């Protein structure tokens, strides 16, 4: 008898071990594949679970809302119509019974739908994190997979998705549902969030559609339960899709008057932005605010200097100096803010507001004949000839308030991008009582790498006013007037790198070489 029990224990142990070994073997991911592809499931399924608008085609969903708060229970219903070909920028319509919603409720519903789905079709990559997909359990008739969504490649309007923890259920090899829960509080104070997304196989096409959704959460105003039921679905080519359990029952009573309300998706700007994104173009956020630090050293070639006092004529002093061999360097450090907006997907306009600190330093070499004449006259003037300098040093510090703007035309092919920028700046130099104008042209091309990393190179041309006139008030009360003519370096080479952090922040560093040495650092935030 004891021997029989021992044998039973051994057999039980072997059975448990074999089951455990079998289960552990099943935990291993498929070779050169993934769990989803092994079961004929597209990653778009998980995207659709997060945002139903990420489905292909057009559809109608019946939505019933149950609100349980301190004032009692309330039951509302609406029908959501999504057709991507209907009015770019107004992709969603929803139908309500007249008088069913109060004005505040209608406004809140419209805002909730817009916030939930705004820009949701802009993502070029899968929303879910492929590396997070794990097999959680495997029974005879059901497999359960766990997954998370990406922390980086999700639009700010869909930031709640980053907090979702998901489970995907297969029943007898067929996709059944996806469950989403949240680890922490969501926007709007939502807590205890849970969403169950049901899928059905299409009868007349391959693939799945979202057949229904049950969502629940708590807020400070009470509990809310939402039930979505797909009433109609059309493939992108217009084919009507049928599936098991599709209902043909009308959602509203026949004798009830209804209203249709449009919901704007995405920003109004850029103009034609929605068609561009639907064609697969990735666009930046439309409005930006950039803080920029720019420093450059520029060799100046002086061509003429004239001075005069009061209202008298200016005297040309150019012949007193060897301007061709004089070495004058202008060092400029500029601090400014640059708000910008994309008017069209290919056209950006910006304003420039800031301040520049300038130092002009170097030596004005005296003309040799002029200097020799002074040397010859030195004994008669009571001067030591050896004290007559070869050059007159120049060191002037001035500040300027700057204001201006820029226009950029840009585009791209695949991961290669290119742009051309025209920039105008007007600088008011208080110390010198003058205003100068500068025009800059920037041509560049670059390449987009993964993880929002871009490199670029190109050329920059700067053109200043070649004649600068102004005056200084002297301590004696007289006015010293001047006119200086110079030629700055025009074109130089530029190169740089830009790194985006999520969808909002980006950092750019740019170097300029060749005649004009430059360093530019820019921190930007896009809305």
């Amino acid at each position: 008898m004891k021997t029989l029990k021992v044998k039973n224990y051994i057999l039980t142990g072997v059975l448990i071990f074999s089951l455990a070994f079998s289960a552990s073997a099943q935990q291993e991911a498929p070779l050169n594949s993934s769990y989803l592809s092994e079961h004929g499931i597209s990653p778009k399924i998980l995207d659709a679970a997060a945002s139903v608008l990420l489905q292909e085609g057009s559809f109608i969903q019946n939505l019933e809302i149950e609100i349980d708060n301190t004032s009692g229970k309330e039951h509302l219903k609406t029908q959501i119509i999504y057709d991507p070909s209907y009015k770019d920028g107004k992709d969603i319509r929803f139908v309500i019974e007249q008088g069913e919603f109060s004005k505040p409720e209608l406004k809140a519903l419209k805002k909730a739908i817009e916030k939930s789905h705004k820009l949701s079709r802009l993502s070029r990559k899968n929303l879910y994190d492929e590396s997070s997909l794990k097999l959680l359990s495997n029974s005879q008739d059901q497999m359960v997979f766990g997954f998370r969504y990406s922390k980086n490649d999700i639009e700010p309007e869909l930031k709640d998705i980053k907090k979702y923890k998901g489970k995907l259920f297969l029943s007898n090899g067929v996709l059944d549902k996806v469950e989403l829960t949240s680890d922490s509080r969501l926007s709007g104070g939502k807590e205890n969030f849970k969403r169950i997304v049901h899928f059905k196989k299409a009868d007349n096409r391959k693939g799945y559609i979202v057949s229904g959704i049950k969502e629940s959460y708590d807020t400070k105003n009470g509990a809310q339960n939402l039930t979505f039921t797909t009433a109609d679905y059309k493939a992108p080519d217009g084919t009507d899709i049928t599936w098991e359990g599709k209902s043909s029952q009308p959602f509203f009573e026949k004798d009830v008057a209804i209203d249709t309300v449009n919901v704007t998706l995405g920003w109004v700007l850029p103009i034609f932005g929605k068609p561009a994104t639907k064609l697969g173009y990735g666009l930046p956020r439309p409005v930006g605010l950039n803080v920029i630090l720019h420093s450059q050293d520029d060799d100046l070639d002086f061509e003429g200097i004239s001075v005069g006092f009061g209202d008298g004529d200016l005297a040309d002093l150019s012949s007193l100096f060897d301007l061709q061999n004089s070495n004058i360097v202008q060092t400029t450090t500029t601090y400014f803010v640059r708000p910008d907006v994309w008017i069209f997907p290919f056209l950006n306009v910006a304003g420039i507001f800031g301040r520049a600190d300038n130092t002009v330093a170097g030596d004005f070499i005296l003309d040799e004949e002029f200097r020799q004449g002074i040397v010859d006259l030195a004994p008669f003037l009571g001067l030591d000839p050896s004290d007559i300098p070869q050059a007159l040093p120049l060191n002037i510090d001035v500040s300027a308030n700057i204001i201006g703007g820029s226009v950029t035309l840009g585009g791209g092919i695949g991961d290669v991008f290119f742009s051309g920028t025209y920039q105008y700046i007007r600088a008011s130099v208080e110390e010198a009582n003058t205003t100068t104008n500068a025009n800059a042209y920037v041509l560049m091309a670059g390449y987009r790498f993964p993880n929002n990393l871009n490199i670029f190179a190109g050329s920059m041309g700067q053109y200043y006013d070649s004649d600068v006139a102004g005056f200084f008030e002297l301590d004696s009360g007289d006015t010293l007037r001047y006119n200086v003519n110079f030629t700055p370096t025009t074109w130089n080479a530029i190169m740089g790198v830009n790194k985006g952090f999520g969808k909002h922040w980006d950092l750019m560093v740019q170097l300029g070489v060749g005649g004009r040495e430059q360093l530019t650092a820019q921190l930007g935030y896009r809305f």
Side-chain angles (χ1 to χ4, degrees), residues 119 154-160 162 285 502-504 526:
L119 301 176
I154 292 179
E155 292 294 327
E157 286 80 3
L158 302 176
K159 62 183 179 181
D160 282 348
K162 299 179 182 181
R285 308 288 291 167
K503 297 292 183 180
H504 282 294
R526 305 211 66 81

Side-chain angles (χ1 to χ4, degrees), residues 77-95:
K77 65 179 183 178
T78 182
Q79 194 170 55
I80 298 175
I81 304 172
Y82 177 70
D83 181 356
S85 66
Y86 174 78
K87 285 189 179 180
D88 289 324
K90 291 185 176 179
D91 285 346
I92 292 184
R93 291 166 286 169
F94 64 93
V95 182

Side-chain angles (χ1 to χ4, degrees), residues 299-315:
D299 295 328
L300 303 180
D301 295 328
F302 279 84
E303 298 176 355
I305 301 175
S306 301
V307 297
F309 293 94
D311 295 329
D313 294 334
L314 298 180

Side-chain angles (χ1 to χ4, degrees), residues 203-447:
D203 292 336
N204 50 339
R205 294 287 283 269
K206 291 184 177 180
Y208 295 87
I209 66 161
V210 174
S211 60
I213 302 173
K214 287 189 177 293
E215 183 175 309
S216 62
Y217 53 83
D218 297 325
T219 68
K220 63 179 181 180
N221 297 322
Q224 295 200 25
N225 294 282
L226 293 82
T227 302
F228 300 80
T229 305
T230 302
D232 187 63
Y233 198 107
K234 287 183 173 58
D237 61 5
T239 302
D240 285 314
I241 301 300
T242 59
W243 62 93
E244 182 185 354
K246 179 181 179 181
S247 175
S248 58
Q249 297 297 320
F251 188 55
F252 297 107
E253 300 294 335
K254 292 183 179 180
D255 56 346
V256 173
I258 58 176
D259 288 328
T260 302
V261 182
N262 289 321
V263 177
T264 301
L265 293 184
W267 291 69
V268 176
L269 295 175
I271 300 170
F272 302 132
K274 289 290 290 184
T277 56
K278 289 178 181 179
L279 290 175
Y281 293 99
L283 302 181
R285 308 288 291 167
V287 179
L289 181 63
N290 308 282
V291 179
I292 301 173
L293 170 64
H294 174 81
S295 179
Q296 72 177 43
D297 291 336
D298 199 358
D299 295 328
L300 303 180
D301 295 328
F302 279 84
E303 298 176 355
I305 301 175
S306 301
V307 297
F309 293 94
D311 295 329
D313 294 334
L314 298 180
D316 186 2
L317 304 182
S318 302
S319 60
L320 305 182
F321 302 96
D322 182 1
L323 296 178
Q324 185 174 357
N325 293 311
S326 296
N327 180 29
I328 307 296
V329 176
Q330 176 179 254
T331 299
T332 304
T333 302
T334 308
Y335 318 85
F336 58 95
V337 294
R338 180 181 175 272
D340 75 280
V341 59
W342 285 95
I343 303 298
F344 294 100
F346 53 84
L347 176 64
N348 179 276
V349 296
I352 298 172
F353 309 93
R355 189 168 180 82
D357 295 330
N358 296 276
T359 298
V360 181
D363 296 308
F364 277 117
I365 300 175
L366 293 174
D367 179 76
E368 187 58 33
E369 292 184 7
F370 173 67
R371 180 181 179 279
Q372 188 59 47
I374 297 177
V375 170
D376 293 340
L377 293 173
F380 302 101
L381 299 175
L383 300 174
D384 185 344
S386 63
D387 291 336
I388 306 303
Q390 297 284 339
L392 296 180
L394 178 68
N395 196 322
I396 301 175
D397 293 324
V398 294
S399 297
N401 295 319
I402 60 175
I403 185 172
S406 68
V407 177
T408 298
L409 292 173
I413 301 174
D415 290 321
V416 177
F417 62 90
F418 43 85
S419 67
T421 299
Y422 165 72
Q423 179 176 287
Y424 168 78
I425 289 180
R426 184 177 180 86
S428 301
V429 186
E430 298 174 357
E431 295 94 332
N433 297 286
T434 188
T435 299
T436 62
N437 300 284
N439 298 275
Y441 305 87
V442 182
L443 302 174
M444 68 169 64
Y447 186 83

Side-chain angles (χ1 to χ4, degrees), residues 37-50:
S37 59
E38 284 293 303
H39 292 86
I41 299 174
S42 168
K44 291 181 180 180
I45 288 296
L46 302 187
D47 293 354

